[in-house]
Every structure is written in structure tokens, then in C-alpha cells.
Amino acid sequence: LLRLRLEALLRLRLRLRPIVLSAPALLSRPTMPLPAAPPPQLVSVAAAQFACSADRAANEDRAERAVRKAAAAGANVVLLQELFSDLYFCQVQEESLFALARERSTAGGSPGAGKGGNAAAASAAASALLGRFSALAAELGVVLPVSFFERCGQAHFNTVVVFDADGEELGSYRKSHIPDGPGYQEKFYFSPGDTGFRVFQTAFGRVGVGICWDQWFPEAARVMALNGADILLYPTAIGSEPQDATLDSRHHWRTVMQGHAGANLCVLAAANREGVEQAMDGSDQTITFYGGSFVAGPTGELWDACAWYPRQPQDHDSQVEEEPEDGISLAIGQFDLARIRLQRASWGIFRDRRPELYDAIGSLDGGTRRGAR
């Protein structure tokens, strides 16, 4: 009996004996593999910069050369400046300058339908411009937003049409924020845009487009980012202030947009014209457009920039370069949009938003959206 009890105790101890696994045994335990990283989506974005003249045909020829130059440098998305066909006519209020508008469409249907000779000519001008740059986008395989002065029925807009890399028109955006001040009297010419902020699915990522004054509003950039924009584009016409020669907005202008890029983890490009332009009413008023077109990365870093105009040292971050022989400067940056999407998701700025706390943003005075306090 004693022997049987000892044997039972021994068997119990053996069952309770701890099992110690060696390091190789622990490492061999099955684990769930991490998802594979998405393949790179490399995209090169270019912003062009050049001076405009009173010769519309010459301006549009130069714009085409700028697109070709950018494509030759490897750009997939090419941004031209705002209203590049003409001098910046909004310096003054002059009713004859409405003749610069191009008929895009009418409430009745086809462009220029049922209209007189002036409307038909305006419609033909729009078709010629947009047809030319649509064909150019297809030839070069680039995404190409095109800015122009649009007339639609009785309304006038500051408009961008976006062409995909096969030349297909993806849609248009009409400028939402319309400035009105000395030298920038756009409210005389343009109605506020009615498209809302739009994002276009292109062959090279999702592209959101704002126009000039839109670039000062963080709400516009955030709406485009919320709608999935990978790249924010801002065609621009900005320079000196006729009423105050001491006011220099160039660094403020650039820094604000670098903030949009960083706050939304998006690529951003702004294309500005350069040079001195006289008002088109024959007065002595001029604006010096300061150029400085640039491309910024998703943390707001300045990736590449064209020179400020005039090309001379002005302060610590001016870029001094010789004027190119063809008069066309380019800022270009290449980015991996797939990597940026992961970076945007992991940073948490969209995960941690609190839209229920932002009601005041929908008001003019910080009250509720309906104006009640």
C-alpha cells in the first residue's frame, strides 16, 4: 500500500512539473503577419511661373511652353497661374473688360446657344482655349487645371477646368472667396462660385483646387482634405498693394499655405505670375506680381520654389536666380502619395476631430449657424 501511495505521489509531481520553453521554441510560435505596405504611388507636381503681357495669344503660347517644360522635367501634375491668358484686369473697375470673358455654357444647353455674335465669339474662344489644353494634357499625359474668365448666361465666374492625363474634362471649380480691395477689385467682375469645394479623381491622385484668395482660408483646405484630396492646388495672382507700397505679403502668403499642407498632410502647390503690370484702364496704377511659386510637402516643408520677383536679395529666405532664357520658372516636387496616406492616417488629425464642437465655423460672427447666440 505504501508503495502504491509513493508511485501515485510521483505521478502527481510529474504532472505538476513546470514546462520551460527554450528561446527557439518561443520564437517558433505562430504569429499573424503584418499587412504588406502599399506599393509606392510616386507623383511629381510642378508649379509654373511667368510674366503676362497684353497679348493674349502670346500668353497662351507661353503657358503651353510652360506645360511642355514641366512635363519634360518629369511632372505628372502641372499648375499654371490664375487667369494666365491676360494681364490681371481686376486692378480697376472697367466695364469694357467684361469682353475678356469666355462663354462656357448657358442655362439653355450648348455654349452660346440662342445668343448673338458676341456670345458666339466668346464661346468659340472658350472652346479654343479649353480644347487646346485638353489636347495638350492628353499628348503629354499630365493632369492640367486651366484657369479662365468664364461667362455663363448673365453670370461671370473665375473658373478652373481640370483635365485628366488623357485629356478628359473632369469638371470645373468656380472661385468661392472673391476679394475686393485696392488693385484687386474682383467683386466687380466675378460672382461668388456656386460649385462648392471640389476634389477630382485623376490618374495621379485626388486633386483639390482653390483659386488665389481661397488660399487664405483654412476651411477651404480642410474641406478638400476631408473629401479625400491628396494634392491641393492654388493658381494665383498676387503682388504689391497699390495703396501701400510698404506692405509686402509674400512671406505671409507662402507661410499660410505651408500651414494648410502641414495641417492636412497634403501635397500643395501654388503658381503665381511675376512682373510689373499696368492697369488696363490706361491709368498709371501698377502691381508688381512677386512670383515665388512653390511646392510644399505634407508636413508643410518647402520642397521647391521659384524666385521672388524682382530677382534680388531681399531677406534671409529669398531665392536669387538668373531669369530663365524662356522666361518660365518651375518649382517641382516628387512625392509618394501612398506613403503620405499612411502618414495622414497614423498622425490622428482626422481621427481626433470633434465636428460637434465646430459649429461656430459655420457662422460669420462666431455664433450658431443660424446667427442665434
Side-chain angles (χ1 to χ4, degrees):
L1 180 62
L2 180 60
R3 183 174 59 81
L4 292 174
R5 288 179 177 177
L6 289 173
E7 289 176 352
L9 181 60
L10 181 59
R11 286 195 298 269
L12 178 62
R13 286 183 175 179
L14 289 173
R15 285 199 299 269
L16 295 177
R17 185 178 178 181
I19 300 174
V20 179
L21 296 177
S22 64
L26 287 172
L27 293 174
S28 65
R29 295 170 66 183
T31 59
M32 182 177 293
L34 290 173
Q41 185 182 353
L42 298 178
V43 173
S44 291
V45 179
Q49 176 176 309
F50 52 88
C52 294
S53 72
D55 186 334
R56 172 174 276 189
N59 293 333
E60 292 172 359
D61 287 346
R62 181 170 285 186
E64 178 176 336
R65 291 196 299 273
V67 177
R68 292 187 180 278
K69 183 175 182 177
N76 307 116
V77 179
V78 182
L79 181 63
L80 296 168
Q81 57 217 39
E82 180 187 19
L83 300 171
F84 60 80
S85 292
D86 302 294
L87 294 173
Y88 181 71
F89 52 87
C90 306
Q91 284 199 52
V92 292
Q93 297 184 17
E94 172 54 57
E95 65 180 21
S96 66
L97 296 178
F98 280 100
L100 296 173
R102 288 160 150 144
E103 185 83 10
R104 171 66 172 156
S105 63
T106 67
S110 62
K115 302 295 182 180
N118 289 340
S123 176
S127 297
L129 174 74
L130 299 178
R132 175 181 187 175
F133 284 92
S134 170
L136 184 64
E139 175 193 343
L140 301 175
V142 297
V143 174
L144 183 60
V146 176
S147 171
F148 74 107
F149 182 14
E150 176 192 7
R151 184 173 76 196
C152 182
Q154 300 301 325
H156 295 78
F157 300 99
N158 189 335
T159 299
V160 165
V161 172
V162 178
F163 295 109
D164 208 350
D166 60 358
E168 178 187 358
E169 180 183 327
L170 298 178
S172 62
Y173 166 71
R174 290 168 169 169
K175 186 173 183 175
S176 298
H177 302 96
I178 311 298
D180 185 35
Y184 301 90
Q185 301 189 45
E186 294 193 15
K187 278 188 168 65
F188 181 74
Y189 296 98
F190 308 129
S191 294
D194 56 2
T195 59
F197 300 110
R198 302 194 62 191
V199 174
F200 303 91
Q201 179 64 62
T202 77
F204 296 105
R206 293 179 60 81
V207 173
V209 180
I211 302 174
C212 200
W213 192 225
D214 290 332
Q215 67 208 181
W216 293 88
F217 295 85
E219 300 90 340
R222 177 50 56 92
V223 168
M224 290 188 280
L226 285 171
N227 286 325
D230 297 303
I231 302 168
L232 302 176
L233 301 178
Y234 292 99
T236 300
I238 190 170
S240 59
E241 303 291 334
Q243 83 284 5
D244 184 355
T246 67
L247 184 56
D248 184 353
S249 64
R250 67 188 67 198
H251 303 299
H252 187 188
W253 169 78
R254 181 180 284 176
T255 302
V256 164
M257 283 184 281
Q258 289 180 254
H260 298 335
N264 295 288
L265 279 90
C266 289
V267 175
L268 185 148
N272 189 23
R273 63 179 64 197
E274 65 172 48
V276 179
E277 296 186 14
Q278 187 171 356
M280 294 181 70
D281 64 350
S283 68
D284 293 333
Q285 178 173 294
T286 62
I287 291 179
T288 300
F289 291 93
Y290 48 63
S293 304
F294 70 97
V295 176
T299 63
E301 73 276 20
L302 186 63
W303 195 270
D304 192 19
C306 301
W308 298 115
Y309 181 90
R311 286 171 167 78
Q312 60 184 21
Q314 296 188 36
D315 50 34
H316 67 282
D317 68 346
S318 288
Q319 298 193 31
V320 183
E321 64 180 37
E322 294 297 323
E323 183 173 359
E325 290 184 5
D326 60 2
I328 298 167
S329 298
L330 296 174
I332 302 180
Q334 184 182 69
F335 306 90
D336 181 354
L337 297 186
R339 179 70 189 89
I340 292 171
R341 291 187 193 112
L342 289 178
Q343 183 182 7
R344 187 185 303 121
S346 66
W347 201 244
I349 57 173
F350 289 95
R351 178 198 65 210
D352 296 336
R353 292 182 67 249
R354 297 289 305 280
E356 72 276 14
L357 303 180
Y358 308 151
D359 195 61
I361 294 295
S363 72
L364 291 174
D365 62 358
T368 65
R369 293 188 181 185
R370 298 185 181 277
R373 288 187 177 274

